[in-house]
Amino acid sequence: MAEITDFDSLRREMAANSERPEGPARNARAEQLLAEAERLGIPLAVIEALGHQLKVYNYSSEKDKMFVPFARLLRMWDERPEDFDEYETHSLHWVFKWMSSGMLDQPHVPLASIEKWLGEMEHRYRLAGHSERAVRSAEFSVAAHVGDVPRAERAYAAWLAADRDSMADCHACELHGQGWWQAERGRDADALLLWRPVLEGEFTCAHEPHTVLASSLVPLLRLGRVDEARAHHLRGFRLVRPMESMRAAYADHVEFCALTGNEARGLELLAERPAYFTDSGHPRSRLDFLAVVALLMDRLTELGLGDREVPGPAGRAWRAGELATHARAEALALAARFDERNGTAHVSERARARMGQRPLADRLPLGVRAVRPVSAPVPSAPVPPTPAAEAPDLPALLAEARRLSDTLQPHAVEAWAAVARAAEGVELDVRDRAEIVDHEAMERGPEGAELFERAAELYAAAGDPGEALAARTRAAYVRALTGRVDEALAAVAEPYDEILALYADDATGVRQTASVLMGRARILMRRVVASDEAPEGDRETVLGEAEAAVGEVLAFVGGYDGDDVRIASRDAEARAMLAELAVRRGELEEAVALFGRASAGFVGAGLPWFAVEYEARLAGLAHHLGDVAEAERALRAALAHGGPHLEAVGRAQLHLQLAEVLGGRGQAVEAAEHALEAAHWADEAGEGPTLGAWARHQLGGLLLRQGRWAEAAEVLESVLPDLSVETHGDGAVVQAQWWLGDCLSELGEHREAADRRLRAAEIARHWPEQHDHATLAHLAAESLGAAGLSAEAEQAYARAGELWRVVGNVHGLVRSLRARAWLALRADDGTDAARALMAGAVGECEAAADVADDEEARERLVAELGHTHRQFGDLLARSAAEDADDDTIRATLEEALSHVVEAAAVFASLGEGALDSRTGAELAAGWLETDLGRSARAAAHARAVLAAYDGADDADGTEETARARRAEAEQMLQAAEEQQAR
C-alpha cells in the first residue's frame, strides 16, 4: 500500500479502497485510513475519512459499526460547520437516511430513539432547506417495519407527494421501496409495473437492479410469470453474488429455489456464503436469511431428505432436519427481539409466514448445472407383507396385465411383474405361468433368453404351439442383441419353418405367425448392422436377405383390417425396417417417406409412443437433406406422440434436437426453451455432465443471441466444468469460452472476458486453421484494453496482428495496428509510436487494395483505408499537446486535417454506399478547419454535408444518422459565421 504523506495520497488510497470487494478487509483498511487522516492534522481529511468509513460499513455485513463515525461527524458539524466543503455537507445530510434504516435494523435500538431520530432528521433537513421526501420515506420504513399499516399508507402518500430534491434516494431505490410495499400489500402486478423502469435499465445505482430483481421473484411466481422469474433469478443472482452487503437479496434467491423445485441449487447458494449464517452486524438481513434456510430445509425434509447433509453454520456437520430446527429457532428468536422492541407481533408473523410457504411451481428448470442433486432416497427397508384381508385380486391383475400386453400399452411388463408377485404361493394354470415367465424374460432384456425358452415349453404344454414358436424366436432375437447373430439365425430357422407349416394347416393364428416372421426379420436386421465392415458384395447379400424377410412380413400382414394392434404394429415396424435399409443404401429420400409411413401406421393403430423413434430418425434425415421444416415437424410430432411415456433421456434428446433445428431457423427464443427443457430432462436422467452439458452449451449460445447476457453467462459458467475436450471436443469448449467472453464483455466485466477469450485462444492455437485463434486473440486484446491493462492489450494486439498476417486477413491486421496506435498514444511519449503504427495500417490497406482479387474485395479494402485515414486524423488531433507551442499544435492539426480530408475523398470514391462515413469525415474536417481559424473552409464542409443529404436515401446508415449529420452541419455553419463575425 502506498505511503500517505499528504491529503492527495489519502484521497487516492480511499478511492482505491472503495474499489475493493465488500467485506471486513475493506472495512479494516478504512479504519487505518482514518488514523492516517488524523495524523495529517487537516479537519477536512478527517471528515472525508469518516465519510469513507461510513460508506464501507454501510455496504458490508458490519453495518452496526456506522453509528460511531456518524456521531463523530455530526459533532464536528455542530462545532465547526465551516470545516465541511459542499460535497461533505451534502454527504452528511445524505447519510442521515442510512442512520435511520440502520437503527431500524438493530433490535437493541429502542423504538423511541428511532422516532426521536426521525424528528431530528426532519428538523435538520428543514434547516438545510431540503424537501421532506426523504423524511417521509424514512417514516414509511418505520411504520411498515412495525406493521402500522395506516401510518405506513399515510407516510407512503406523503413520500410520493413531496418534491424530489438532492436528498431524495435515487429513482431506482425509491421505485424498489414503492414496489416492495405494493407486493407486501398483495398488489403484485402494481409492484412489477413500478419496478419496470429499473428492470429495463432506465434507472440504476450501486444496488439496483440487484434488489428489484430479487424482490420480483416471488411476485412473478405468484402471477404465474415463471419465465420472467427464471430470468430474474439468473440475472439477479449474478449481481448479488459478489456483494457481501446483500444478504437479504441473496435470501430472496434461496427462497426462489425452495419454491420452484430447485432445492439442489438452493443448497449450492447456501454453500457459497457460510458466513451469512452467523454474521451478526445486520440482524434484520440475518433474520431474512435464516427464515429462507428454514423454508428450504423443511422442503428437503418433506421430500424425505431430512438426513441429507447440507451446508450450515461452521463448526459442525448439519443434516437438513437439524438445520431446519436450528434456523427456525434462530429466526424466531431474532424476530421476537424486533417485536419486543417494536411492541407488535408483526415481524414474527412475517417470519412464520415466510417459513410456511408452499412451492409455487412444481418444476421450474433453470438451465444451470446443479452439483448437489436432490432426489428422494430409495427406502432400504423391505415393504411389509399385505395383510390377508387386503390381498390383491389376482384375476383382476391378470386381466389388466393381459389387456395392457394385448394392446401394447406402456407398463405391460410392470403389470405382469405385479401378477407374479401376487401369484407367489398360488397354483396357476400352465398358460398363466407361461405368460408370467414370458414377460419376466422381456424385463430381463439381453439376459432373458433362457426364460424365453422356459416360456416356450410352458406354452407348448398349454397347447399353444404357435406361441411357443414365437417365444423361441424371441429367445433367438435376444441372442442376436448380444452379438451372437449367426447363432440366432440358426436358432430361428426351425421356428420359422414350423410356424409356416402350422399356419398352412390352420394350427396357429396370424398373430403368432407374424411374431415369428418379424422376429426373424429383426435378427436379419441385426446382421445388417454387424455387416458394416464386410466387403461390398457380402453387404449387398445381407441387405437383400433382410429386405426379403421384411417383405415377407409386409406380404403377410399387409391389408390387415382387424382390431389386433399387435398385427397392425408389425406392418408399421416393417416399414421402418425398410427405411433403415434405404438409409444403408444411401436412398435417404425414400427412407424419409418410409419412416413417415411407419410413424403414421403406429399412430393409426393407437400406438403413438412407438412412433417416437421413427419420427426422430426421420427428423435427422430431413435435417441432413436440408428439409429443416420437415425436421421440425417430425421432432414436434415425436414429443407429442411420446407424451408422458417418454423416458427422461429420450425427452432430453428430442428437445435438444428441436432446439438445434429452431436455432438454425433463427427462432432463438423458442429454441432456448427447448434447450432449457433438454438440460432439465438430462439432469433427471442422470446425464447432466454429458447430454445436459450439450444442452446447456446450446442454451447459453441461444440466450447470447437474444442479448440476455447475464442469463447466458450464468448458464455458460455452469456448463464449463462439465465440458471437456475428451468428451465434447475442443470446439465445444472453445465456443463456450468464446460465448462467455462475449457475455462478460457486454456486462462490463472486461478482465474476466479477457481471461475467457485467452483460454479459448490457447486451445485454438493448436488448430490447423488459425482464423479463430486470431479472432480470439484480437477480442482478448479488446477486453484487456477495456480493463485498463494497456501493456497486456498491446501484446495481445501484436499477437493478433501476426496471426492476421499469417491467415491473410488484411482487415484484421489493419484493425490491430489501429488499436495498438491508440494504446501507444496513451503511453508517455508514445506519439511517435502511435504515428508509426497508424501509418503502417494505411500502408497495409493501400498495398492490399492494389492487388485485390475482385471488385468487391477491393471496395472493402478501400473502405478500410478510409476508416484508417479518419482514425489517423482523429489520433493526431488528440495528440496535439495543450502545453506545446502554437506552431507545433498548428502543424499537428494541419496533418490531422490532411488525413480526414483524404478519408472523405476515399469514402466519396465508394459512392452512396459510404455516404454516412463520408459526411462524418467532412464534419470532422470542418471542425479542424474551425480550430485552425479557417471559418470559410469549415462552412464549405458543412454545406457539403447538407447537400449530400438533400434528397438522399441515407444508404449505409439510418434516418437518425441523417438527422444528426444535418443538425451538426447547421451547428458548424453557425459557429463559422460567429467566427467570421469576430
Side-chain angles (χ1 to χ4, degrees), residues 60-264:
S60 79
S61 61
E62 298 180 308
K63 291 178 185 283
D64 54 335
K65 292 185 175 181
M66 290 191 301
F67 303 110
V68 172
F70 181 74
R72 184 177 173 186
L73 270 173
L74 196 58
R75 185 172 65 253
M76 292 175 72
W77 169 262
D78 288 338
E79 292 173 355
R80 289 181 56 84
E82 64 272 18
D83 288 340
F84 289 70
D85 62 14
E86 183 179 355
Y87 178 81
E88 292 303 327
T89 299
H90 177 275
S91 296
L92 176 70
H93 287 82
W94 181 268
V95 296
F96 264 87
K97 299 179 294 181
W98 293 359
M99 295 305 106
S100 175
S101 62
M103 291 177 179
L104 203 59
D105 296 337
Q106 303 290 334
H108 69 274
V109 179
L111 188 62
S113 298
I114 297 172
E115 295 285 5
K116 181 181 178 182
W117 180 257
L118 272 176
E120 178 75 7
M121 179 181 173
E122 184 171 11
H123 171 69
R124 288 183 179 265
Y125 271 40
R126 189 179 297 116
L127 285 177
H130 296 307
S131 163
E132 67 171 11
R133 188 177 181 93
V135 178
R136 299 285 77 81
S137 172
E139 181 189 5
F140 160 77
S141 298
V142 173
H145 173 65
V146 302
D148 187 343
V149 174
R151 184 188 179 192
E153 292 282 20
R154 290 193 302 272
Y156 182 90
W159 168 22
L160 270 61
D163 292 335
R164 279 189 58 83
D165 67 351
S166 62
M167 282 298 112
D169 281 340
C170 75
H171 279 289
C173 288
E174 282 206 331
L175 289 172
H176 174 246
Q178 293 161 18
W180 173 85
W181 181 242
Q182 299 304 320
E184 186 76 4
R185 302 300 297 152
R187 299 185 284 264
D188 292 333
D190 292 340
L192 288 160
L193 195 62
L194 280 165
W195 287 331
R196 182 186 296 169
V198 183
L199 295 171
E200 292 178 352
E202 183 179 349
F203 302 122
T204 61
C205 71
H207 277 186
E208 295 297 353
H210 315 41
T211 56
V212 163
L213 286 163
S215 296
S216 71
L217 295 172
V218 171
L220 284 168
L221 291 173
R222 287 195 295 245
L223 291 171
R225 292 159 61 175
V226 294
D227 290 338
E228 292 173 75
R230 176 197 299 112
H232 287 198
H233 169 63
L234 294 177
R235 179 182 162 203
F237 182 67
R238 183 173 191 82
L239 293 172
V240 304
R241 175 188 273 144
M243 302 181 72
E244 186 205 37
S245 62
M246 303 203 72
R247 179 164 53 183
Y250 201 98
D252 291 339
H253 287 279
V254 176
E255 177 183 43
F256 167 83
C257 293
L259 297 177
T260 57
N262 286 289
E263 296 85 5

Side-chain angles (χ1 to χ4, degrees), residues 2-10 12-13 36 39-40 42:
E3 183 182 359
I4 296 173
T5 57
D6 54 27
F7 200 173
D8 287 340
S9 59
L10 174 69
R12 285 194 296 271
E13 281 299 302
E36 296 283 355
R39 278 195 282 273
L40 293 176
I42 303 172

Side-chain angles (χ1 to χ4, degrees), residues 183-425:
E184 186 76 4
R185 302 300 297 152
R187 299 185 284 264
D188 292 333
D190 292 340
L192 288 160
L193 195 62
L194 280 165
W195 287 331
R196 182 186 296 169
V198 183
L199 295 171
E200 292 178 352
E202 183 179 349
F203 302 122
T204 61
C205 71
H207 277 186
E208 295 297 353
H210 315 41
T211 56
V212 163
L213 286 163
S215 296
S216 71
L217 295 172
V218 171
L220 284 168
L221 291 173
R222 287 195 295 245
L223 291 171
R225 292 159 61 175
V226 294
D227 290 338
E228 292 173 75
R230 176 197 299 112
H232 287 198
H233 169 63
L234 294 177
R235 179 182 162 203
F237 182 67
R238 183 173 191 82
L239 293 172
V240 304
R241 175 188 273 144
M243 302 181 72
E244 186 205 37
S245 62
M246 303 203 72
R247 179 164 53 183
Y250 201 98
D252 291 339
H253 287 279
V254 176
E255 177 183 43
F256 167 83
C257 293
L259 297 177
T260 57
N262 286 289
E263 296 85 5
R265 181 165 171 84
L267 292 177
E268 291 178 20
L269 267 58
L270 297 188
E272 284 191 30
R273 283 291 187 181
Y276 276 175
F277 287 97
T278 52
D279 281 346
S280 58
H282 192 245
R284 195 171 177 184
S285 68
R286 182 166 181 255
L287 167 57
D288 290 331
F289 184 75
L290 290 170
V292 299
V293 169
L295 171 68
L296 178 60
M297 295 306 121
D298 282 346
R299 181 65 185 147
L300 290 172
T301 303
E302 188 177 325
L303 291 171
L305 296 164
D307 289 333
R308 170 73 179 269
E309 189 168 325
V310 294
R316 56 160 289 187
W318 292 90
R319 300 193 180 279
E322 298 168 340
L323 185 55
T325 302
H326 170 80
R328 175 174 286 98
E330 289 283 303
L332 290 176
L334 267 174
R337 289 176 58 200
F338 280 107
D339 285 340
E340 182 180 4
R341 186 270 302 276
N342 299 339
T344 68
H346 181 66
V347 176
S348 293
E349 289 169 358
R350 288 189 77 249
R352 287 192 177 91
R354 193 169 197 182
M355 291 186 285
Q357 292 176 97
R358 301 300 304 154
L360 294 170
D362 293 334
R363 178 185 71 86
L364 181 56
L366 302 178
V368 291
R369 173 179 180 262
V371 296
R372 297 169 178 266
V374 168
S375 57
V378 178
S380 56
V383 178
T386 306
E390 300 176 19
D393 184 345
L394 184 56
L397 290 176
L398 267 169
E400 177 62 9
R402 286 199 175 106
R403 182 190 72 79
L404 292 175
S405 57
D406 286 347
T407 56
L408 298 178
Q409 298 295 307
H411 310 305
V413 170
E414 291 88 340
W416 280 105
V419 169
R421 290 191 297 272
E424 290 179 6

